[in-house]
Amino acid sequence: MRSRFVAGQGLGLGAKWAVCPVCEGHRLLVRLGEDEILVRCLVCRASAISMSMAAALRQLEVALSSAHVLELSCRGPFHGFLMRRAARLTCSQYHADAEPGEVRGGILCQDVQRLTFPDAVFDLCTSTEVFEHVPDDRRGFAEMNRVLKPGGMLVFTVPVSGEPETVERARLDPAGRITHLLPAEYHLDPAKEGSAVLAFRNYGEDLLQRLLEVGFTSAEFLTPAQAVPWGYARPVVVARKDDPVRTAAKP
């Protein structure tokens, strides 16, 4: 359904009636400024990023009703979308002072660089704006590949610069000390009451190659076909783990 303009454009302000991919209704979506994070559904409060993720899963025709999903957050509109649609949802939150697998306040704590799950237990792994904050993202990608079942997918968002190569901004040494290679860049973490978290890198187009190098058999940027108003659809990264049995059966 085509979006219908409602309110003016001054200072980046606007509102439109459109179908929200997250709460799945014809809603009033608002734009409070010239930034994707300021686009919201007034009913479920989904951002353009959450809308892009939900729209991408529909476009990929993921069978959520029979899927076991790992989501690297325990709150927010996209988490709610998965809660409503997935057959089984395992969610986790990262805390630097928690041991992986620890339960804190009823929430499972995991470090994506050393997940405590067995091999091949999830049909789908998802995250939004996580991997740019992971010191060793390749290790995190490898862990996601490990816990996915054959034929499973990793679907996620990160900020991507559009440049060919990823720029590393900081690194962590074996003693846990951070070395800044560029001026420190922090992003707000809404899961932790708006606290700021360090960005270790700015991803480029070579992000897809990083995924292939750790064992995913294909990787792509997918722009959701269901439009997010004002052109704020975020490209979603889709990495697939091949199913050898299914591949061998193809003529």
Side-chain angles (χ1 to χ4, degrees), residues 86-151:
R88 183 180 176 189
L89 178 63
T90 298
C91 59
S92 71
Q93 198 73 49
Y94 174 72
H95 291 279
D97 60 344
E99 282 298 313
E102 177 183 337
V103 176
R104 179 176 294 184
I107 294 175
L108 178 66
C109 300
Q110 289 284 352
D111 179 348
V112 73
Q113 300 166 113
R114 46 192 185 119
L115 297 172
T116 63
F117 305 112
D119 295 353
V121 292
F122 299 105
D123 301 289
L124 173 69
C125 295
T126 60
S127 72
T128 55
E129 315 298 277
V130 169
F131 282 99
E132 68 271 30
H133 304 296
V134 176
D136 189 344
D137 65 329
R138 287 181 173 87
R139 186 174 176 185
F141 292 144
E143 278 289 89
M144 293 297 237
N145 183 271
R146 178 184 67 79
V147 302
L148 276 169
K149 296 176 183 177

